[in-house]
Amino acid sequence: MSTKYVLIGNSAAALAAVDGIRKFDKQGEITIVNRETGPAYSRVALPYYVAGEMTLDDLLIRQKPDYQKIGVSLVENENVKAINASAKQVELESGKKVSYDKLLIATGSETIVPPIQGLSSIPHHYLWTLEDAIGMKKAAERAKTAVVIGGGFIGMLAAEALRKLKIKLTIVEMAPILLPQLLDEGAGNLFLKAVRDEGVTVKTGALVSAVAKKGDAIEVTLKSGETFTVDMAVVATGVRPHAAFLQSSGITLNKGVLVNEYLQTNQADVYAAGDVAETKDFLSADRSIYAIWPTAIDQGRAAGVNMTGKRQEYPGSLGMNVVELFNVTLAQLGRFREGPGDSVKMLSSKGSEESYRKVVVDKNGTLVGAVYVGDENGVAEMGVIHSAIKRREKWQGFKDGRQPQFTYGAVMHNVPRY
């Protein structure tokens, strides 16, 4: 009798899990339960749709016939109400029940709604789901001014999309720098200057305390008492694992779903992967969640393999982001903020206004992190450093083998042959 696999979620982790399952089990029944409607799309490409650089079809990473070709049943527009692990059933809010032999929780993240007075009374937008992006694009077509509340990763992607539409922007961020989860102070200040040089008003160290309708506009009030009006508001104050429906399931939760090195939860035959899964950090072995696409794929593929009965250990997550925003390339790897015992190696000239290139080395001399702000050429260098961190390479060896310039040839010289 074939195995019944049920996957909750229809994005990177779930799709990678399908690949992992099909690698070893061609006959098993696979059902994907999706709270959204339609085939899978690229969440990371949503800003390009808002900016008018991609169509809805361009966003799709699967078409419905793709699911049929690999024997996957897609259940759409269904929220999971609960999981009964002892009965091996997924209970849907519609009242339906779906039985499983092996279950994957890959529900991703959900946006955090900040406690801003009046927020529910005004039209405002998020940039997390396809529906969000469609709504944001429609609003942007009518807007000349906008506020982006939150200067983190999603907030800056939204801001970049609106900037491309020639909308006059104000970004409000509570931290002293933009992208505080990706950049340290030095890199953050360089990026902040680049954003302001593009004509964007940036208010750091600031909080939006209230919003209200003022005719056809929106009045924004900061905690400092300052007010200004805009045509549209975008909220980007973070995300959290979509796991509240698991509270009574018996599955152990912390910030996310706790899993072991094989992506297994504490319940038999139940696995988790992607933004919802809390796994070990590659460098520290501490519990961590890295809500990034490559990590979701790695975890999903390993979980899928393990669901078939094979054994594939997940080595741990390594934080990594590379993005181009406001004509600047940004990259962050691993532990980019130095801790006790760490040392910092600057690869760029002190005081340089062109780029910021920093490497963090732990007390044992091992490369553990890096941060970069500059032009696109730095991505190649960060690729080499990423490989070095994964190999637990020492700083001295990296330094001795490093070329004066990270040309294509130099990069190829440093790429590991495996």
Side-chain angles (χ1 to χ4, degrees):
M1 188 165 58
S2 62
T3 302
K4 291 183 178 179
Y5 302 93
V6 174
L7 285 55
I8 310 174
N10 186 34
S11 195
L15 297 178
V18 171
D19 293 340
I21 292 169
R22 281 291 179 251
K23 184 175 181 180
F24 296 104
D25 186 349
K26 310 294 185 189
Q27 305 302 322
E29 301 176 27
I30 302 178
T31 300
I32 287 180
V33 179
N34 181 21
R35 57 181 162 148
E36 298 183 61
T37 301
Y41 59 86
S42 172
R43 194 181 305 281
V44 296
L46 293 178
Y48 301 103
Y49 168 73
V50 174
E53 297 175 339
M54 283 188 170
T55 67
L56 287 174
D57 284 344
D58 291 336
L59 297 177
L60 299 181
I61 54 178
R62 293 286 189 280
Q63 300 286 347
K64 287 201 172 178
D66 296 331
Y67 295 87
Q68 297 166 3
K69 286 178 184 175
I70 54 176
V72 174
S73 300
L74 180 61
V75 177
E76 303 174 60
N77 197 27
E78 284 277 11
N79 279 307
V80 174
K81 179 181 178 182
I83 290 172
N84 185 335
S86 58
K88 288 197 166 185
Q89 284 186 332
V90 176
E91 299 177 8
L92 307 182
E93 288 187 350
S94 64
K96 297 177 184 175
K97 295 181 180 179
V98 182
S99 298
Y100 65 84
D101 295 316
K102 302 291 178 71
L103 175 67
L104 175 71
I105 301 165
T107 47
S109 302
E110 58 188 0
T111 53
I112 295 173
V113 179
I116 296 174
Q117 182 181 341
L119 184 62
S120 61
S121 67
I122 65 158
H124 58 283
H125 304 272
Y126 301 88
L127 184 56
W128 194 241
T129 67
L130 182 58
E131 185 178 0
D132 291 340
I134 292 172
M136 185 174 163
K137 182 177 175 61
K138 288 181 179 176
E141 289 170 352
R142 302 186 297 271
K144 293 184 178 179
T145 59
V147 61
V148 176
I149 304 172
F153 191 63
I154 301 302
M156 294 310 303
L157 290 174
E160 171 80 324
L162 297 178
R163 180 187 72 99
K164 291 176 179 175
L165 295 173
K166 311 297 184 187
I167 292 174
K168 188 176 181 181
L169 282 176
T170 299
I171 301 170
V172 181
E173 166 57 42
M174 63 185 295
I177 59 172
L178 297 172
L179 296 171
Q181 303 301 319
L182 273 68
L183 305 176
D184 65 1
E185 182 180 359
N189 286 332
L190 190 59
F191 178 60
L192 181 59
K193 180 179 181 303
V195 175
R196 285 176 169 157
D197 285 348
E198 290 294 314
V200 177
T201 300
V202 182
K203 299 179 183 296
T204 55
L207 280 171
V208 174
S209 60
V211 289
K213 289 191 72 173
K214 191 173 183 179
D216 293 333
I218 297 168
E219 183 177 71
V220 180
T221 302
L222 303 185
K223 189 177 180 182
S224 64
E226 178 186 354
T227 64
F228 57 93
T229 59
V230 292
D231 298 326
M232 69 177 289
V234 177
V235 178
T237 51
V239 297
R240 62 185 166 212
H242 180 64
F245 67 98
L246 298 170
Q247 290 293 340
S248 302
S249 65
I251 294 170
T252 303
L253 305 175
N254 187 34
K255 292 180 180 177
V257 179
L258 290 179
V259 294
N260 64 13
E261 64 270 34
Y262 299 103
L263 287 311
Q264 293 174 296
T265 72
N266 64 312
Q267 295 294 319
D269 299 320
V270 180
Y271 298 73
D275 297 6
V276 75
E278 191 170 332
T279 60
K280 71 175 182 178
D281 183 271
F282 177 80
L283 294 167
S284 68
D286 293 339
R287 293 286 181 179
S288 63
I289 298 174
Y290 291 109
I292 55 177
W293 196 269
T295 295
I297 292 173
D298 289 344
Q299 291 182 2
R301 187 173 292 119
V305 169
N306 289 319
M307 290 168 75
T308 68
K310 305 294 182 182
R311 299 290 270 177
Q312 180 173 324
E313 184 174 350
Y314 178 67
S317 301
L318 177 66
M320 177 183 69
N321 281 287
V322 180
V323 65
E324 182 174 334
L325 293 166
F326 292 85
N327 303 317
V328 175
T329 299
L330 312 163
Q332 164 265 316
L333 298 171
R335 193 167 77 228
F336 65 95
R337 287 193 179 91
E338 60 272 27
D342 292 340
S343 60
V344 170
K345 313 296 181 184
M346 295 303 299
L347 303 180
S348 56
S349 301
K350 187 176 182 181
S352 170
E353 295 185 356
E354 300 299 323
S355 67
Y356 183 91
R357 300 152 60 214
K358 177 181 118 176
V359 175
V360 177
V361 179
D362 72 7
K363 62 183 179 182
N364 299 315
T366 305
L367 293 167
V368 293
V371 61
Y372 172 81
V373 176
D375 61 30
E376 61 186 8
N377 293 324
V379 173
E381 182 182 45
M382 294 300 285
V384 174
I385 295 172
H386 178 259
S387 295
I389 293 173
K390 297 284 282 188
R391 294 196 304 271
R392 310 307 299 265
E393 189 172 318
K394 298 290 186 182
W395 160 252
Q396 195 60 47
F398 173 82
K399 178 186 175 185
D400 291 346
R402 182 169 160 261
Q403 305 298 311
Q405 297 291 328
F406 276 83
T407 62
Y408 178 78
V411 171
M412 295 306 293
H413 172 76
N414 283 281
V415 170
R417 301 298 196 268
Y418 58 82

